[in-house]
């Protein structure tokens, strides 16, 4: 078998040699150097079950090309040609043969690399203008920029036309398609793209209306003409027809892909442009976004040449309920004929148009001539726009630390000397409740002693003149002769608040998180024998976190914020402050800032460092080294407070952004709930924490979809 294969290869190799011409001289001996063949010399091809590597080597010898073979390039090929072929055509035949065998040729500088077809797209090859000049079965990469069609939608149509091992993809950024394939196939796909990516034969015409409002007719056509909406099967496809409104000329601009749709739209528009059918020029306009009552007031002020304003009054009833009353006032902008100024003493001329709002359906009823209605309809359409929403994230961080230390020794010596007389001597330091030796001695069983380490010596009891009970008998108090106190306190607080609010543009939002604490504002004690009952008056105040913000979005995308922020709390240092009632700490900030969309701004900060040191001592004795500590009382406090307020507004321009933020917050709180697992207890029944469920599990559409 090997002898037969070698024989066939020898025959095939002999067939590649050029055929001698009729008048050619005799062939040179085998030992002679081969002569150079002319460029137009042709070669007869005849390979049967020839080894592919031997064929590539033979083609390289006759075409002068250098080949680099991948080790995986193996197999046999069959090439048969009845007529002689040129060297250029011989190379093209080799490329086609390699493609049939599943291999591809990658041309480099002075060589050609033969690799499996699946790896050809990752190797260097002609791109762009160079690929446009290459033909045949060579791997090239071409980029097609589409002008009219969508690249993302066109790729699924072209993918079956690309070789299985090669590449095609869309780049939505500039609406381009990238294809890596054989040059001949790329040319065919290019012709297909040019046929599809062509401008539609659209026509734009103007339809002028005489009676009806162009805005009303355009809205009606949007609902009844199916060609004016994108097909449900292809949401990104532009509709076949579109209508725009020119409010200045009360005309419709109609675009259609074919004449039949154009004629149908024009017929409908002109048919609806007729005089009113005896309705007394009464029109109803349903609003989509704006508030009907505000729009009606604005239109009435526009017709009468006056300025309408709304005043909102908030009152609190004795039961604690809040009532809101809105009052609309009108300021006339005109004056008497021939007079000047805008005096309000003269009434406006009686209007010939009536505008009334109907809040249940958020609609406006207009009674006016058709020209006036058309003008008002244009104003309504301009004002009835979807308002932007602003999601405001606040970060309030307060870190406070406090340290306190006390140390002191107090002496007291007392003795009854008879005849109702008592003698005593001692030290008397510190006015803080529970730390004074005399105050403790007169207390009931020393119940009011302060916190910390207290060491004392009591020796009997003494009677102090003038200190009697309710029956007039003298009171004896413990003879507290020594009180030594030592106290060290360390406190810290880290309060992190992240209030978030969502509100409409130019609408105030308020969030309060805290407690409603009662404060005594007054007391009444009746005179002895009076029938009036004693009472106290209190006032409740919100203690905690309060954030009020009013955003205003500019055309440039920045957000102007009017902010009031307050952080209040009941003080933790009650023992260090003398007060008759509750003491509260308050941090408030009121400001107006300008922030870009999505940026973080610091509103303000507070760094407070309070240090206090008190020393009470006996003169001279308190200055004695070491022993002086027995004759003095020393206290120190150090408190440091750090407060920072940050704000980040995010503009929500459509429902997708709002749904995205809502879904993110919803999933965040679900994850927090999952992490709150109640510990098990054999003595208590199991209790499962309530958990939020996804909207789709409750029969709703998924959030963010």
């Amino acid at each position: 078998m090997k002898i037969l294969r070698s024989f066939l290869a020898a025959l095939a190799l002999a067939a590649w040699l050029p055929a001698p011409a009729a008048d050619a001289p005799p062939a040179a001996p085998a030992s002679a150097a081969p002569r150079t063949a002319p460029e137009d010399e042709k070669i007869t091809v005849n390979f049967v079950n020839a080894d592919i590597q031997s064929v590539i080597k033979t083609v390289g010898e006759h075409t002068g090309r250098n080949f680099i073979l991948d080790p995986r390039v193996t197999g046999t090929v069959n090439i048969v040609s009845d007529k002689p072929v040129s060297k250029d055509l011989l190379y093209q035949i080799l490329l086609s043969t390699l493609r049939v065998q599943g291999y591809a040729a990658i041309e480099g500088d002075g060589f050609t690399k033969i690799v499996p077809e699946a790896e050809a797209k990752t190797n260097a090859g002609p791109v762009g203008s160079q690929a446009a000049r290459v033909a045949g079965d060579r791997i090239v990469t071409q980029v097609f920029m589409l002008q009219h069609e969508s690249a993302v939608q066109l790729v699924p149509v072209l993918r079956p036309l690309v070789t299985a091992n090669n590449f095609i993809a869309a780049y939505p950024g500039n609406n381009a398609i990238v294809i890596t394939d054989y040059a001949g196939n790329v040319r065919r796909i290019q012709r297909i793209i040019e046929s599809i990516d062509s401008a539609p034969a659209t026509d734009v015409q103007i339809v002028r209306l005489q009676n009806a409002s162009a805005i009303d007719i355009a809205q009606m056509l949007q609902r009844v003409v199916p060609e004016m909406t994108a097909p449900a099967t292809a949401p990104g496809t532009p509709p076949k027809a579109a209508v725009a409104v020119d409010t200045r000329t009360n005309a419709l601009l109609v675009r259609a892909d074919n004449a039949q749709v154009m004629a149908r739209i024009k017929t409908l528009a002109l048919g609806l442009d007729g005089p009113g059918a005896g309705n007394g020029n009464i029109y109803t306009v349903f609003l989509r976004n704006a508030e009907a009552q505000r729009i009606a007031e604005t239109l009435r002020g526009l017709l009468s040449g006056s300025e309408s304003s709304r005043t909102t009054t908030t009152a609190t009833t004795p039961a604690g309920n809040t009532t809101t009353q809105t009052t609309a006032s009108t300021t006339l902008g005109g004056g008497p004929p021939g007079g000047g100024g805008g005096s309000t003493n003269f009434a406006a001329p009686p209007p010939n148009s009536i505008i009334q709002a109907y809040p249940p359906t958020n609609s406006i009823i207009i009674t006016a001539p058709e020209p006036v209605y058309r003008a008002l309809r244009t104003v309504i359409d301009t004002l009835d726009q979807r308002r932007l929403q602003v999601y405001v994230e606040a970060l309030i961080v307060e870190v406070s630390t406090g340290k306190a230390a006390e140390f002191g020794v107090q002496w007291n010596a007392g003795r009854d000397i008879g005849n109702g007389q008592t003698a005593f001597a001692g030290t008397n330091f510190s006015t803080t409740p529970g730390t004074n030796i005399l105050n403790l001695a007169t207390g009931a069983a020393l119940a009011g002693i302060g916190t910390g380490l207290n060491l004392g010596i009591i020796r009997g009891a003494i009677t102090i003149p003038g200190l009697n009970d309710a029956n007039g008998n003298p009171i004896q108090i413990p003879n507290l002769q020594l009180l030594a106190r030592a106290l060290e306190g360390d406190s810290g607080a880290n309060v992190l608040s992240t209030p978030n609010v969502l509100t409409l543009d130019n609408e105030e939002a308020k969030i309060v998180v805290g407690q409603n604490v009662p404060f005594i504002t007054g007391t009444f004690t009746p005179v002895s024998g009076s029938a009036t009952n004693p009472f106290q008056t209190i006032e409740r105040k919100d203690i905690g976190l309060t954030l009020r913000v009013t955003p205003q979005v500019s055309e440039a995308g920045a957000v102007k914020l009017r902010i009031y922020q307050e952080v209040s709390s009941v003080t933790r240092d009650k023992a260090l402050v003398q007060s008759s009632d509750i003491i509260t700490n308050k941090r408030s900030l009121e400001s107006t800032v300008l922030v870009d969309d999505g940026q973080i701004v610091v509103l303000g900060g507070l760094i407070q460092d309070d240090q206090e040191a008190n020393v009470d001592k006996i003169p001279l004795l308190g200055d004695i080294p070491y022993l002086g500590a027995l004759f003095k009382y020393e206290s120190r406090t150090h408190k440091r407070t750090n407060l920072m307020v940050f704000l980040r507004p995010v503009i929500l321009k459509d429902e997708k952004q709002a749904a995205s933020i809502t879904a993110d917050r919803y999933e965040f709180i679900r994850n927090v709930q999952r992490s709150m697992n109640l510990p098990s207890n054999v003595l208590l029944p199991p209790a499962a924490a309530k958990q939020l469920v996804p909207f789709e599990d409750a029969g709703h559409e998924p959030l963010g979809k």
Side-chain angles (χ1 to χ4, degrees):
M1 188 66 181
K2 292 183 178 179
I3 298 175
L4 178 59
R5 180 169 297 180
S6 301
F7 177 72
L8 293 175
L11 291 177
L13 181 61
W16 279 93
L17 297 176
D23 55 351
S31 59
R35 62 182 177 85
T36 304
E39 290 296 325
D40 58 351
E41 187 175 2
K42 297 185 178 182
I43 303 171
T44 301
V45 180
N46 188 8
F47 281 110
V48 178
N49 293 329
D51 182 66
I52 189 172
Q53 296 187 1
S54 300
V55 173
I56 295 173
K57 179 180 179 181
T58 303
V59 173
E61 292 176 353
H62 286 273
T63 59
R65 294 179 178 270
N66 300 318
F67 291 95
I68 300 176
L69 304 183
D70 190 279
R72 291 167 290 182
V73 178
T74 58
T76 59
V77 297
N78 295 293
I79 304 175
V80 178
S81 176
D82 295 338
K83 297 180 180 180
V85 297
S86 63
K87 293 182 179 180
D88 291 338
L89 184 57
L90 176 62
Y91 180 64
Q92 296 296 333
I93 292 175
L94 176 62
L95 295 181
S96 299
T97 304
L98 294 174
R99 178 178 177 180
V100 172
Q101 296 295 116
Y103 305 111
I106 307 299
E107 296 182 353
D109 295 335
F111 65 90
T112 301
K113 183 166 54 174
I114 310 299
V115 297
E117 186 182 69
E119 298 184 5
K121 58 179 175 289
T122 61
N123 289 267
V127 180
S129 59
Q130 296 180 356
R133 297 190 295 267
V134 177
D137 294 323
R138 305 181 190 181
I139 296 294
V140 297
T141 299
Q142 189 77 12
V143 180
F144 299 98
M145 308 293 295
L146 304 185
Q147 303 297 327
H148 306 283
E149 298 296 328
S150 171
V152 176
Q153 296 180 0
L154 192 56
V155 164
V157 178
L158 301 177
R159 191 178 302 277
L161 304 179
V162 179
T163 308
N165 292 325
N166 289 326
F167 174 80
I168 180 173
Y171 180 64
N174 56 0
N175 199 34
I177 296 179
V178 182
I179 300 177
T180 299
D181 202 358
Y182 294 100
N185 197 31
V186 173
R187 299 293 169 273
R188 181 169 66 100
I189 295 176
Q190 180 180 5
R191 291 190 294 270
I192 296 174
I193 293 177
E194 291 174 353
S195 301
I196 297 176
D197 187 36
S198 59
T202 58
D203 185 17
V204 179
Q205 296 187 17
I206 299 176
V207 180
R208 299 186 183 276
L209 305 179
Q210 301 298 327
N211 301 291
S213 170
I215 298 175
D216 291 341
I217 299 300
Q219 292 180 355
M220 191 174 301
L221 293 176
Q222 290 281 355
R223 294 193 295 265
V224 300
V225 179
E227 288 82 2
M228 297 181 66
T229 58
T233 56
T237 304
K240 297 181 179 179
V243 174
V245 177
D246 181 18
T247 56
R248 187 180 63 87
T249 60
N250 194 43
L252 299 176
L253 279 73
V254 184
R255 177 192 63 82
D257 290 349
N258 54 72
Q260 292 80 5
V261 177
M262 174 66 72
R264 184 152 50 91
I265 294 176
K266 289 181 61 178
T267 302
L268 288 173
L270 295 176
L272 295 173
D273 184 31
N279 60 350
N281 292 332
I282 300 177
Y283 307 91
T284 303
V285 180
F286 294 93
L287 303 181
R288 299 184 302 272
N289 303 288
E291 184 180 348
Q293 189 171 356
R294 292 189 177 183
I295 295 293
E297 293 175 3
T298 302
L299 296 180
R300 284 195 292 265
L302 180 65
L303 290 179
S304 61
S306 61
E307 180 181 355
S308 297
S309 62
R310 294 162 58 94
T311 303
T312 302
T313 304
T314 303
T316 303
T317 62
N321 300 323
T322 302
T323 60
T324 303
Q325 180 180 2
T326 301
T327 304
S329 60
T330 301
T331 303
L332 299 181
S343 176
T344 60
N345 296 328
F346 299 92
N352 57 356
S353 302
I354 301 175
I355 302 173
Q356 184 64 39
Y358 186 64
T361 59
N362 196 38
S363 57
I364 299 176
I365 303 173
I366 301 175
T367 302
E370 289 186 354
V372 177
Y373 168 72
R374 288 197 298 267
L376 294 178
R377 190 67 180 86
T378 302
V379 176
I380 293 173
D381 190 68
T382 304
L383 298 179
D384 187 25
Q385 302 294 329
R386 179 187 176 93
R387 296 170 64 182
L388 298 176
Q389 297 187 94
V390 180
Y391 182 72
V392 182
E393 295 179 296
L395 179 64
I396 305 170
V397 184
E398 181 176 4
V399 180
S400 61
T401 59
K403 292 185 177 181
E406 296 183 35
F407 182 79
V409 178
Q410 301 180 59
W411 301 88
N412 187 23
R415 182 176 181 182
D416 293 333
I417 58 179
N419 299 325
Q421 301 295 323
T422 301
F424 67 91
T427 60
N428 182 18
F429 298 143
S430 180
T431 59
T432 304
T435 62
N436 185 269
I437 188 171
L438 293 180
N439 292 336
L440 293 176
T442 58
L446 303 178
I449 196 168
T451 58
L453 178 62
N454 296 270
L455 300 176
I457 298 177
I458 300 177
R459 183 179 181 182
I462 61 175
T463 302
I464 298 179
L467 188 62
N468 302 323
D469 58 11
N471 298 324
N473 300 321
I475 298 178
Q476 289 186 339
I477 63 174
N479 187 9
L480 182 60
Q481 296 185 329
L482 172 66
L483 176 64
R485 278 183 45 80
L487 172 66
E488 182 175 354
D490 191 354
S491 63
N494 182 8
V495 181
L496 174 65
S497 303
T498 57
N500 302 329
V501 292
L502 176 64
T503 181
L504 285 174
D505 184 21
N506 278 324
E507 295 289 344
E508 182 183 281
K510 178 180 179 181
I511 182 172
V512 178
V513 180
Q515 295 177 323
N516 195 255
V517 181
F519 292 86
I520 299 175
T521 58
T523 61
F524 174 76
T525 303
V527 181
S528 178
S530 174
T532 306
N533 296 325
F535 64 88
Q536 291 181 336
T537 59
I538 64 172
E539 180 184 0
R540 291 185 172 271
K541 292 185 178 181
D542 294 330
I543 300 298
L545 172 67
T546 301
L547 175 65
R548 292 201 308 265
V549 57
T550 303
Q552 182 180 358
V553 182
S554 65
E555 290 294 334
V559 184
K560 181 180 179 181
L561 298 171
R562 292 190 296 272
I563 307 156
Y564 176 79
Q565 181 267 326
E566 176 184 309
V567 178
S568 57
S569 62
V570 177
T571 182
R572 299 175 183 271
D573 301 330
K574 297 179 182 179
L576 302 181
V577 181
Q578 296 290 337
S579 176
S580 60
D581 203 350
I582 300 176
I583 299 176
T584 58
N585 297 323
K586 182 178 179 181
R587 313 275 192 269
S588 64
L589 181 148
E590 188 170 0
S591 177
T592 301
V593 296
L594 188 66
V595 191
D596 290 334
D597 180 21
Q599 299 299 315
I600 300 177
V601 62
V602 57
L603 298 182
L606 170 68
I607 300 178
Q608 182 177 353
D609 197 337
D610 298 332
Q611 296 189 31
E612 183 179 356
N614 296 317
V615 178
D616 297 335
K617 63 182 179 180
I618 301 297
L620 301 177
L621 296 178
D623 297 328
I624 300 175
Y626 303 108
L627 293 178
L630 300 176
F631 301 96
K632 65 181 178 180
Y633 194 95
E634 184 175 358
S635 63
R636 299 177 183 177
T637 59
H638 183 197
K639 184 175 181 180
R640 182 180 179 88
T641 303
N642 301 290
L643 174 66
M644 287 291 174
V645 181
F646 302 90
L647 209 64
R648 175 176 177 262
V650 178
I651 301 175
L652 306 182
K653 300 180 180 179
D654 50 32
E655 63 277 5
K656 293 183 179 179
Q657 287 184 299
S660 176
I661 288 185
T662 302
D664 179 71
R665 298 290 89 188
Y666 190 82
E667 190 62 27
F668 169 77
I669 201 65
R670 288 189 62 204
N671 293 334
V672 172
Q673 285 187 331
R674 293 193 191 101
S675 62
M676 297 178 62
N677 295 324
L678 298 178
S680 59
N681 192 318
V682 295
L683 301 179
L684 298 177
K690 287 290 185 180
Q691 300 249 344
L692 293 174
V693 297
F695 268 34
E696 53 268 27
D697 294 345
H700 301 279
E701 290 294 330
L703 286 176
K705 297 298 180 67

